[in-house]
Amino acid sequence: MCTPGERIGHVSEFQAGDGTYVERQFIYASTVGEKQVQEVEGAKVVVVVPAWKKHADVPDVGDLVTGQVLRLQKDRVELSILTVNDKQLNSEYRGVVRLQDIRQYEVDKLDVLDCFRPGDIVAARVLSLGDVRNFLLTTAEDQLGVVKATSINRHPMSRVSWQLMQCTGTGYKERRKVAKPPGIGGPVRIKP
């Protein structure tokens, strides 16, 4: 699953097709969807195919969602929900992860800036329908949290531990509430 702004190739390898754009010789996804490489007149063309047939109507309690961090406050994180149970949404929805729902322990010592940054892609679970504007979400499970991040230098970051990600360009480490992929015990490289 690709998200807008995700680097999916280089112009030396592919031509940019539908659902993509080129910036500084790199090809990026311009929509949420599946990356595919197609052969067109002998050339490899990378496209992002929106999952139009896999739409979800509205998130429900217990659903797994993927969202992009929009705003941080001292007591909460605001997300734009991109997918529900790996299905693209028909409408735009927002979610909030409250400070007490980020992790299960030492909540009183928690700083939101040590867990998330604007632009991070986060896996979360719907706790409740919340108010009129936002769903209440949680990342207080091992497999929930940041799944994709970009450093301050605009390089992709890879998972180092459950609380650290490392810039692939500079090696600089930043604190995050990192999602642990199912079945994985050690460090994992998050694909750029």
Side-chain angles (χ1 to χ4, degrees):
M1 178 69 71
C2 296
T3 56
E6 180 178 340
R7 187 185 304 178
I8 58 174
H10 193 270
V11 294
S12 64
E13 301 173 89
F14 307 108
Q15 290 181 3
D18 293 339
T20 68
Y21 66 94
V22 176
E23 184 178 308
R24 295 185 180 142
Q25 305 287 321
F26 290 101
I27 302 171
Y28 296 88
S30 64
T31 187
V32 174
E34 182 181 332
K35 173 186 169 183
Q36 293 183 358
V37 177
Q38 301 172 347
E39 193 79 26
V40 178
E41 297 178 10
K44 289 183 180 178
V45 178
V46 65
V47 299
V48 176
V49 179
W52 301 119
K53 296 181 182 176
K54 296 182 176 182
H55 285 292
D57 293 323
V58 178
D60 199 5
V61 174
D63 284 345
L64 291 174
V65 299
T66 304
Q68 185 169 22
V69 175
L70 298 174
R71 190 173 311 123
L72 301 174
Q73 296 180 12
K74 68 177 183 172
D75 63 342
R76 63 198 228 152
V77 179
E78 295 179 24
L79 303 171
S80 172
I81 298 174
L82 304 171
T83 65
V84 177
N85 297 324
D86 293 326
K87 296 178 183 176
Q88 188 175 347
L89 291 167
N90 287 326
S91 302
E92 183 177 337
Y93 294 101
R94 300 283 173 107
V96 170
V97 181
R98 300 173 300 182
L99 185 67
Q100 65 264 31
D101 297 320
I102 291 175
R103 66 181 188 202
Q104 296 173 344
Y105 59 93
E106 295 181 337
V107 176
D108 55 329
K109 298 179 182 179
L110 199 56
D111 183 355
V112 171
L113 283 173
D114 285 341
C115 300
F116 304 101
R117 297 284 165 85
D120 286 355
I121 303 298
V122 175
R125 186 176 306 280
V126 178
L127 275 179
S128 74
L129 303 181
D131 58 24
V132 176
R133 298 183 323 203
N134 296 308
F135 289 87
L136 290 180
L137 308 174
T138 181
T139 58
E141 297 174 32
D142 288 345
Q143 74 275 16
L144 303 178
V146 177
V147 294
K148 187 178 292 187
T150 304
S151 72
I152 197 164
N153 297 319
R154 300 187 67 174
H155 293 285
M157 299 189 79
S158 61
R159 177 179 182 265
V160 175
S161 71
W162 63 271
Q163 62 182 356
L164 285 176
M165 294 187 92
Q166 185 171 24
C167 175
T168 58
T170 65
Y172 182 76
K173 293 179 183 172
E174 294 180 16
R175 295 178 65 83
R176 296 286 203 285
K177 196 292 185 186
V178 182
K180 178 181 174 184
I184 302 293
V188 177
R189 169 105 162 92
I190 306 296
K191 293 183 180 179

